[in-house]
Amino acid sequence: MKEVSPDPTGPDALPGDRPARPSLLPTAVTGMLIFLTAEVMFFAALISAYLIVSSGSSDWPPPDQPRLPALSTAFNTLALLLSGGMIFHANLTYARSSGSSRRTTRLLLTAILLGSFFVLFQGFEWVRLIKFGLTMKSSTYGSFFYLIIGTHALHAVAALVVLVLVYRNLKRKTLAPENFWAAQVFWYFVVGIWPILYILVYLN
């Protein structure tokens, strides 16, 4: 008589006998989301402090401090947003080709170049502002500006390093899809939070 194996999913099955449930998100993406959740709270704290101080000041920005280059930074903002669009389309072509493709590589490289342009342009503007007298020690206004915008710049540089590593692995055809997705989440965070900072800091 043939022996019937117990159902590993039945009510009498031991916990170790039941098949593991598939994770909704890859581990790399989950880890990145946890990290970015903490970063969102950090930026929220910075923005809240900035708004409290600025609303309590009768002259904000201070009249003796140089004005921020809102117009040129708007152009730079467009470059960053285009970079996010390139990443989005790179992901689409990556999924359609089930891995590496020349179009995915070109789109990813374009996104990296646009992101690098954004960081370098911000650095150029910083040098000009410092020459005009806006420093972290010149005023509370200057301190908040470099703290908030500088923190975003650090995140942008870190995300660019991640994208460069993704690009290298894509060229070598050793890129794991979950690593690509995690890198995208990081870059979308950098791109998505910037318009908020631009409006609050540059246009306030």
Side-chain angles (χ1 to χ4, degrees):
M1 183 176 180
K2 185 177 180 181
E3 183 178 354
V4 179
S5 301
D7 184 3
T9 62
D12 298 329
L14 296 175
D17 297 333
R18 298 184 181 183
R21 294 181 180 180
S23 176
L24 295 177
L25 289 173
T27 303
V29 178
T30 302
M32 182 61 72
L33 288 174
I34 293 173
F35 166 72
L36 293 180
T37 299
E39 295 305 289
V40 167
M41 291 188 289
F42 177 69
F43 272 102
L46 290 178
I47 292 172
S48 298
Y50 175 81
L51 292 176
I52 291 172
V53 172
S54 62
S55 62
S57 177
S58 57
D59 292 320
W60 193 270
D64 60 336
Q65 292 289 273
R67 300 284 80 87
L68 300 179
L71 185 59
S72 59
T73 304
F75 169 76
N76 204 26
T77 299
L78 179 60
L80 185 63
L81 294 176
L82 286 174
S83 176
M86 293 298 105
I87 289 290
F88 177 77
H89 286 293
N91 180 64
L92 292 179
T93 58
Y94 181 80
R96 290 169 185 167
S97 62
S98 299
S100 178
S101 72
R102 289 184 178 180
R103 180 167 173 77
T104 302
T105 304
R106 288 197 301 268
L107 288 169
L108 182 56
L109 179 59
T110 303
I112 293 172
L113 293 176
L114 285 169
S116 300
F117 173 83
F118 171 83
V119 172
L120 292 174
F121 191 90
Q122 285 295 98
F124 172 75
E125 293 290 357
W126 279 27
V127 171
R128 292 183 61 196
L129 287 171
I130 291 172
K131 288 182 178 179
F132 290 147
L134 184 66
T135 67
M136 289 198 71
K137 296 181 179 180
S138 63
S139 64
T140 304
Y141 177 70
S143 298
F144 269 115
F145 171 76
Y146 288 108
L147 180 60
I148 295 174
I149 304 304
T151 300
H152 179 268
L154 288 176
H155 283 75
V157 170
L160 281 172
V161 171
V162 173
L163 288 180
V164 169
L165 293 176
V166 167
Y167 176 79
R168 182 195 65 180
N169 291 338
L170 185 64
K171 291 278 289 184
R172 296 177 178 177
K173 298 184 179 180
T174 59
L175 177 63
E178 57 268 23
N179 292 338
F180 189 22
W181 298 334
Q184 291 177 64
V185 172
F186 195 1
W187 191 245
Y188 288 146
F189 169 77
V190 170
V191 174
I193 200 171
W194 175 251
I196 300 174
L197 301 181
Y198 173 71
I199 292 172
L200 292 178
V201 177
Y202 283 80
L203 302 181
N204 187 10

